[in-house]
Amino acid sequence: MSRQQLLDLYYLEARSKLIDVAAFLDRVERASGAGDFRWDAFKAALAQMQAATSARAEGVLNALSDPTTEPIPVATTKAACGAWPGRSAT
């Protein structure tokens, strides 16, 4: 598939998602209070999107994922939260 074909097929969908992310960033930055590990992970994932590589999706997933390999003994919450609280990205 050519670049032009990909743009023809997916540009409007990607554009919409990009605007959604921009609106989310604006809302979070306008809000008062401290961020948390999810905000840090989100910003780290955004930085991965600017990387000059063809593995951006992998970088984004890694920025949002738990890098440990050992299972935890007991779950601390009932649901996934979309980011790993064990580290703080900048």
Side-chain angles (χ1 to χ4, degrees):
M1 184 175 286
S2 72
R3 182 174 289 172
Q4 186 64 51
Q5 289 171 316
L6 285 169
L7 287 166
D8 289 347
L9 283 174
Y10 299 112
Y11 174 76
L12 288 177
E13 179 183 352
R15 178 184 181 274
S16 174
K17 291 177 180 177
L18 185 61
I19 293 169
D20 286 346
V21 169
F24 171 70
L25 294 171
D26 288 347
R27 284 192 301 273
V28 171
E29 289 183 355
R30 281 193 307 261
S32 61
D36 64 18
F37 66 95
R38 295 169 298 174
W39 182 236
D40 293 338
F42 198 88
K43 290 188 295 186
L46 287 174
Q48 291 297 316
M49 293 179 66
Q50 293 293 318
T53 175
S54 61
R56 290 182 190 93
E58 179 182 356
V60 167
L61 285 171
N62 285 334
L64 299 172
S65 298
D66 180 346
T68 61
T69 57
E70 294 296 320
I72 59 174
V74 176
T76 56
T77 62
K78 290 185 177 181
C81 59
W84 185 55
R87 69 172 174 227
S88 178
T90 55

